[in-house]
Amino acid sequence: MTHDPITVNAIINGEKVQTEKTFPRENPTHPDEVVGYAPVNSKEETVRAIEAAYTAFSDWKWSDVDDRIERMQRAIQKIKAAIPELSHLLSREHGKALYDSEGEFAVSLMWMEYACNIVKDVIKPQIKEHDNGRTIITLDPIGVVSAITPWNYPISLSTIKIAPALLTGNTMVLKPSPYAPLAVSKVVELIADEFPPGVLNLVHGEAEVGVELTSNPKVAKIAFTGGTKTAKSIMKAASETIKKMTLELGGNDAAIVLEDFDVNDERAMRRMVISNFLTAGQICMIAKRVYVHRSIYDAFVEKYVEAANKWIRVGDPFHPDVTVGPVNNQNQVKYVQSLVDDARSKGAKVIKLGKILNPELMDNGYFLQPTLVLGADFRDPIVVEEQFGPTVPILPFDNEEQV
């Protein structure tokens, strides 16, 4: 089924802003298909967005919290009504299986609802009585927040920044990743329409946009989710004006399986597999390396492979039985494959996992069949680096101190 490409716009001071220059976002399942186009905003447009947020803050910070909650609740209902359309768009531009996209929207709305429910308790004054009198602590809005979000969970990692910021009286300029710019732009538009002009702004673009968002003196706080290397650059840019920062970075998370683990627990083993390969392994907080006590190592590997072969079904994200879709982009495919190839060249055993449901797609799309790597050294790149893709090493250990 073919679709006409869509075009999303920047949102500055409540208005949609078109640009002469745009960039395409391809479908990872069918890379020859352009899902849509996003604007390439300039530094000047980014400054305008920041100025709009800065101006809007002067009134928004005094707004009634009940009004903020009501506006956010209206936005939640609009997003909820659009899930069937937007989850399809997300799967097409991102590559994640449809159930995964639908799940991301469900989690995003849950977080937004939670923020609405707790905001009054969060911002209420704290009164502390003591022998010398009373201390009253009030929490004031910070100001303009720059939000820079990644491609792996673009909806949830944007809304989890937007809702708390706006509900507590701040304004925002958000920049999504170019690898998943479309569905999130639609979501931001739905939210922005419920708020006064300038409260929520949206820009896309290249490095100069990110630099402006992190260095402009009118930005009071930065909320960033992404890689450590980029975070270091952000910290340098923000240091000139000593901005507040929330940095959610990647990590090479480990799962440690102790000797009393029941390898015959099929439910637990299935959960382990999902924790390695959900969203094709492209989640910052999933287990990316597994250490298993040597006394149960062989039995664990055997049962793990059985569980993986039952759960992993690779193919078109819209196939009803698919659990793992393509990797999001070609660069990530090359990086993950290089780690697997490096481990194999050093003597590691690479086991393919799961079933391919759409073999005809594998050579053309950004697909990698999930793999298990055995026999890697503790110091090999496949172990010490965050692969962020559908491969996982399992290593034996002898005692807890060693692991």
Side-chain angles (χ1 to χ4, degrees), residues 3 23 142 201 214 351:
H3 301 78
F23 66 90
I142 297 169
N201 305 271
T214 54
I351 302 174

Side-chain angles (χ1 to χ4, degrees), residues 47 115 131 165-166 189 208 238 286 360 396:
V47 170
D131 293 341
L166 271 56
E189 181 180 335
E208 65 176 0
I286 62 172
E360 71 281 3

Side-chain angles (χ1 to χ4, degrees), residues 299-317:
F300 179 92
V301 169
E302 179 184 349
K303 294 297 184 179
Y304 183 96
V305 171
E306 288 180 9
N309 286 336
K310 288 180 181 178
W311 185 78
I312 296 174
R313 297 289 183 269
V314 183
D316 190 314

Side-chain angles (χ1 to χ4, degrees), residues 135-208:
T135 300
I136 301 175
I137 302 173
T138 60
L139 301 176
D140 296 326
I142 297 169
V144 179
V145 180
S146 285
I148 301 175
T149 59
W151 50 261
N152 62 325
Y153 273 76
I155 309 303
S156 61
L157 292 173
S158 295
T159 54
I160 201 172
K161 296 173 176 57
I162 294 170
L166 271 56
L167 286 168
T168 52
N170 301 285
T171 58
M172 177 174 284
V173 182
L174 185 138
K175 178 188 179 298
S177 166
Y179 289 119
L182 305 176
V184 68
S185 294
K186 294 289 188 179
V187 168
V188 171
E189 181 180 335
L190 292 175
I191 300 173
D193 283 349
E194 294 301 326
F195 289 82
V199 171
L200 178 59
N201 305 271
L202 172 71
V203 292
H204 299 261
E206 299 169 347
E208 65 176 0

Side-chain angles (χ1 to χ4, degrees), residues 107-118:
V107 169
S108 301
L109 293 176
M110 178 187 70
W111 282 340
M112 294 175 74
E113 290 275 10
Y114 179 69
C116 289
N117 292 337
I118 68 168

Side-chain angles (χ1 to χ4, degrees), residues 16 51 75 84 137-138 143 172 191 246 256 275 330 334 337 339 353:
K16 295 180 181 179
E51 292 284 353
I137 302 173
T138 60
M172 177 174 284
I191 300 173
T246 301
I256 300 174
S275 79
Q330 186 65 52
K334 292 178 180 178
Q337 189 62 58
L339 294 176
L353 301 173

Side-chain angles (χ1 to χ4, degrees), residues 155 215 242 261 263 279 297 309 398:
I155 309 303
S215 63
I242 315 181
F261 176 75
V263 298
T279 318
Y297 178 80
N309 286 336
D398 295 303

